[in-house]
Amino acid sequence: MNQVIRSIRADEWRAVKELRLAALRDPVAHLAFVETYEDSVARPDSFWQERATGAAEGVLERRQFVAVGPDGVWRGSVVVLVERTGELDILGNMSERDQGHLVGVFVRPEYRGSGLTDALFDAALAWAWGIGLDRVRLFVHEKNGRAEAFYRRVGFVPTGGSTASVGDKGAQDLEFVITRS
């Protein structure tokens, strides 16, 4: 692979915005993301600046990792949210344990199947383990078989838990976890 996997920097909000908008234009975005392209493209620059600052290198509550090609183009990304016992998680539920929560997984179509997603997950999990978390979870739409197959391949297992899918009424997002070995 010919890219660098690293944490974003707070001043990279324009690249954060560009990659997120690209992700939201993906044909399966409605299965993978709770935001829409139309809502996100209308957000002010201050939103994107805060998003980058809140997930940048040095932040311990969340971290965004990107794969940057030699041309400077961001090829993919994943975000780790830290959920703490007794605090509300991203879904609005009380967290029962300290854990990571992977969100915002996206790789540009031309780089899929190249090992880039594996490298992003390796970085995200290494960071989670490095800050003392022993468990990381994610949710995948029940109809997103490609993503589910990848998550299983890298060691995530279904918990049997699920939540109502935000963007697909009547559908479920299935919970998968991986624990530090």
Side-chain angles (χ1 to χ4, degrees), residues 26-45:
D26 191 272
V28 297
H30 67 288
L31 299 179
F33 304 111
V34 297
E35 299 172 296
T36 66
Y37 175 82
E38 293 75 20
D39 290 341
S40 294
V41 76
R43 294 189 185 275
D45 290 347

Side-chain angles (χ1 to χ4, degrees), residues 63 124 176:
R63 184 68 58 93
F176 282 72

Side-chain angles (χ1 to χ4, degrees), residues 54-166:
E57 190 172 52
V59 175
L60 295 179
E61 294 81 24
R62 72 195 57 76
R63 184 68 58 93
Q64 182 173 0
F65 294 90
V66 291
V68 184
D71 54 2
V73 172
W74 287 13
R75 296 176 173 184
S77 176
V78 64
V79 177
V80 183
L81 306 175
V82 176
E83 298 174 338
R84 296 289 180 197
T85 305
E87 296 178 1
L88 291 180
D89 64 21
I90 191 173
L91 302 171
N93 300 314
M94 193 64 65
S95 185
E96 298 176 3
R97 63 180 56 89
D98 287 354
Q99 63 187 351
H101 187 151
L102 296 184
V103 297
V105 179
F106 176 70
V107 171
R108 293 181 193 272
E110 61 269 30
Y111 300 107
R112 292 178 186 159
S114 68
L116 186 133
T117 312
D118 293 81
L120 285 165
F121 268 60
D122 287 348
L125 292 173
W127 181 77
W129 307 151
I131 63 167
L133 299 176
D134 292 323
R135 183 181 195 260
V136 173
R137 71 177 180 160
L138 55 80
F139 285 84
V140 61
H141 191 284
E142 64 187 351
K143 296 177 187 171
N144 195 346
R146 180 177 54 92
E148 182 179 335
F150 170 78
Y151 301 145
R152 286 177 183 272
R153 184 178 61 75
V154 297
F156 282 80
V157 295
T159 66
S162 65
T163 189
S165 182
V166 174

